[in-house]
Amino acid sequence: MADIADGQQVELQGSGSKPYILKNTGGVYSCNCPAWRNQSIAIERRTCKHLRKVRGDAAEDARTGGTSTAPAAKPAAKAKKAGDSAESSESAEAESKDKAPPLLLAHSWENDVDLTDWWMSEKLDGVRAYWDGKRFWSRLGNEFFAPAWFTAGLPDFPLDGELFGGRKRFQRTVSIVRRQDRGNDWKELFFVAFDAPSVDAAFEQRLEHCRKWMEDAKPAYAKWHEHVRCKGTPHLREELERVEGLGGEGLMLRKPGSRYEAGRSHTLLKVKSFKDDEARVVGHVAGAGRHKGRLGALEVELRNGKRFSVGTGLSDAEREAPPAVGTVITFRYQELSDDGVPRFPSYVGVRIDAAPFAAPAKGRSKARA
């Protein structure tokens, strides 16, 4: 069967007057037919009869992990009662939490804690991954389909780390890990381990456990993440400037002697000179001037319902094929305005491990950054 090359699209005539458009964007295959668009599962797991006709059932089953029966379109929604949206969101969030691995999550450093003697490392601009001894899992409990040669040499005990493709390569890393074909693109990545959650000991012993395994087993695509002692605020500022000057995202600080715990903890702090957040795409603003005929900006919505536009940070390719409405993105900004709108927002990339996103039904407002 034929395939669709990465970055390309094909047309397939359906029953209507206009043909359907089938695309391959970083290993994520899509079709603009209703059957594909109306599925409630993650976009990388969707298929339809048109994709199967072009790629074949075997290729689509291998990609989606499904059977040769294409999912049917969702039936027309019944009229919703007040509160249905909130209940649906709460249900989705509860289901997500049930699948998610018990990861330690960071708070932001607000210059309110003396970080002298804390363990300092670069904050990697990759995708968080939990190795359970057999497979990689995302923060939300979705499997990353790494090739067997990529995981060769990893231990049979859990590791917490990051799938990392290098500085300023976040979107490329995302496009690789969301693929389900276990392809050679994984050769661009490393798994960088920075903790061993199952080891019942202080952080120093857990990190040493990671180091010893990596140096003894020498896996080809994994390594441990080196940490250094923070000598005080001047040292912190100097290291932050150095890392950001190299294109890094920031720093992570671990409290000496701390234990691994699930959820957000003040024993793990992130330090950056900019702020970031997540937003859901709710619309596409047409471009003008050099961007005429393609995307000018993304109209997005925060979790609190505040709407604004993100028009910088997008590549030409992303303007030609922008994130779909409903996609959750990460963006950076300098500060919030008095009415809570991020100032100077800049697009970073699509989030594939974001929690279920539902803005409140009332009180939404639109503003310009």
Side-chain angles (χ1 to χ4, degrees), residues 133-150:
K134 295 180 180 178
R135 293 177 288 182
F136 286 117
W137 299 93
S138 76
R139 284 177 53 178
L140 295 186
N142 297 313
E143 184 178 355
F144 293 134
F145 294 90
W149 49 259
F150 186 90

Side-chain angles (χ1 to χ4, degrees), residues 52-71:
R52 290 180 176 278
K53 185 173 182 179
V54 172
R55 304 192 69 240
D57 285 334
E60 281 296 275
D61 289 345
R63 181 179 68 83
T64 64
T67 64
S68 297
T69 303

Side-chain angles (χ1 to χ4, degrees), residues 232-312:
T233 301
H235 182 204
L236 176 77
R237 300 292 186 191
E238 179 182 323
E239 181 64 7
L240 179 63
E241 183 178 359
R242 184 190 72 83
V243 167
E244 292 184 340
L246 293 171
E249 187 177 358
L251 300 175
M252 300 297 294
L253 278 294
R254 289 300 311 268
K255 187 176 182 179
S258 57
R259 297 279 174 155
Y260 197 94
E261 55 184 311
R264 296 213 175 270
S265 171
H266 288 284
T267 66
L268 176 63
L269 300 176
K270 54 186 175 181
V271 181
K272 298 182 289 186
S273 60
F274 58 85
K275 302 178 185 296
D276 57 22
D277 203 349
E278 298 169 358
R280 180 175 56 184
V281 177
V282 295
H284 296 151
V285 180
R290 66 179 294 264
H291 297 313
K292 186 176 181 179
R294 57 183 180 178
L295 180 76
L298 296 170
E299 185 180 354
V300 300
E301 183 177 65
L302 296 174
R303 293 184 186 275
N304 63 8
K306 188 75 68 175
R307 291 190 177 191
F308 57 98
S309 295
V310 178
T312 62

Side-chain angles (χ1 to χ4, degrees), residues 189-244:
L189 307 182
F190 271 92
F191 175 59
V192 184
F194 44 67
D195 215 324
S198 64
V199 177
D200 186 17
F203 172 68
E204 291 82 355
Q205 284 72 52
R206 299 197 307 275
L207 185 62
E208 174 63 15
H209 202 66
C210 292
R211 184 200 65 78
K212 190 173 188 311
W213 178 274
M214 295 298 178
E215 293 188 355
D216 289 348
K218 294 180 173 58
Y221 293 95
K223 53 189 176 183
W224 71 288
H225 198 31
E226 188 172 357
H227 290 59
V228 298
R229 289 273 192 181
C230 178
K231 301 174 184 177
T233 301
H235 182 204
L236 176 77
R237 300 292 186 191
E238 179 182 323
E239 181 64 7
L240 179 63
E241 183 178 359
R242 184 190 72 83
V243 167
E244 292 184 340

Side-chain angles (χ1 to χ4, degrees), residues 1-287:
M1 302 291 290
D3 203 349
I4 307 170
D6 195 351
Q8 300 299 310
Q9 66 181 43
V10 300
E11 295 184 357
L12 188 67
Q13 188 63 49
S15 57
S17 59
K18 293 184 178 181
Y20 292 120
I21 307 298
L22 286 64
K23 297 180 180 180
N24 174 4
T25 307
V28 178
Y29 290 80
S30 64
C31 178
N32 64 348
C33 72
W36 188 92
R37 288 187 286 108
N38 292 334
Q39 292 172 46
S40 58
I41 59 177
I43 59 174
E44 62 267 20
R45 295 177 183 267
R46 298 181 192 179
T47 187
C48 67
K49 65 181 182 181
H50 307 110
L51 285 168
R52 290 180 176 278
K53 185 173 182 179
V54 172
R55 304 192 69 240
D57 285 334
E60 281 296 275
D61 289 345
R63 181 179 68 83
T64 64
T67 64
S68 297
T69 303
K74 290 169 61 178
K78 296 180 180 179
K80 290 186 177 182
K81 299 178 180 179
D84 281 356
S85 178
E87 291 173 5
S88 175
S89 174
E90 290 172 3
S91 175
E93 188 168 355
E95 182 180 354
S96 175
K97 288 180 178 179
D98 288 342
K99 297 190 303 178
L103 292 180
L104 171 65
L105 303 175
H107 282 287
S108 294
W109 182 59
E110 302 294 346
N111 206 19
D112 56 348
V113 177
D114 182 3
L115 297 177
T116 302
D117 287 333
W118 283 48
W119 292 100
M120 183 167 60
S121 64
E122 180 176 347
K123 186 180 189 303
L124 301 176
D125 192 14
V127 176
R128 187 78 174 269
Y130 181 86
W131 171 255
D132 69 357
K134 295 180 180 178
R135 293 177 288 182
F136 286 117
W137 299 93
S138 76
R139 284 177 53 178
L140 295 186
N142 297 313
E143 184 178 355
F144 293 134
F145 294 90
W149 49 259
F150 186 90
T151 62
L154 290 179
D156 58 2
F157 56 83
L159 292 174
D160 186 3
E162 197 102 352
L163 291 167
F164 185 57
R167 302 182 183 106
K168 297 185 177 181
R169 287 176 56 83
F170 172 73
Q171 199 55 45
R172 175 58 178 164
T173 301
V174 169
S175 72
I176 293 172
V177 303
R178 74 189 304 178
R179 299 179 75 122
Q180 298 178 326
D181 56 6
R182 295 184 167 89
N184 286 333
D185 286 349
W186 281 79
K187 291 181 179 179
E188 298 178 31
L189 307 182
F190 271 92
F191 175 59
V192 184
F194 44 67
D195 215 324
S198 64
V199 177
D200 186 17
F203 172 68
E204 291 82 355
Q205 284 72 52
R206 299 197 307 275
L207 185 62
E208 174 63 15
H209 202 66
C210 292
R211 184 200 65 78
K212 190 173 188 311
W213 178 274
M214 295 298 178
E215 293 188 355
D216 289 348
K218 294 180 173 58
Y221 293 95
K223 53 189 176 183
W224 71 288
H225 198 31
E226 188 172 357
H227 290 59
V228 298
R229 289 273 192 181
C230 178
K231 301 174 184 177
T233 301
H235 182 204
L236 176 77
R237 300 292 186 191
E238 179 182 323
E239 181 64 7
L240 179 63
E241 183 178 359
R242 184 190 72 83
V243 167
E244 292 184 340
L246 293 171
E249 187 177 358
L251 300 175
M252 300 297 294
L253 278 294
R254 289 300 311 268
K255 187 176 182 179
S258 57
R259 297 279 174 155
Y260 197 94
E261 55 184 311
R264 296 213 175 270
S265 171
H266 288 284
T267 66
L268 176 63
L269 300 176
K270 54 186 175 181
V271 181
K272 298 182 289 186
S273 60
F274 58 85
K275 302 178 185 296
D276 57 22
D277 203 349
E278 298 169 358
R280 180 175 56 184
V281 177
V282 295
H284 296 151
V285 180

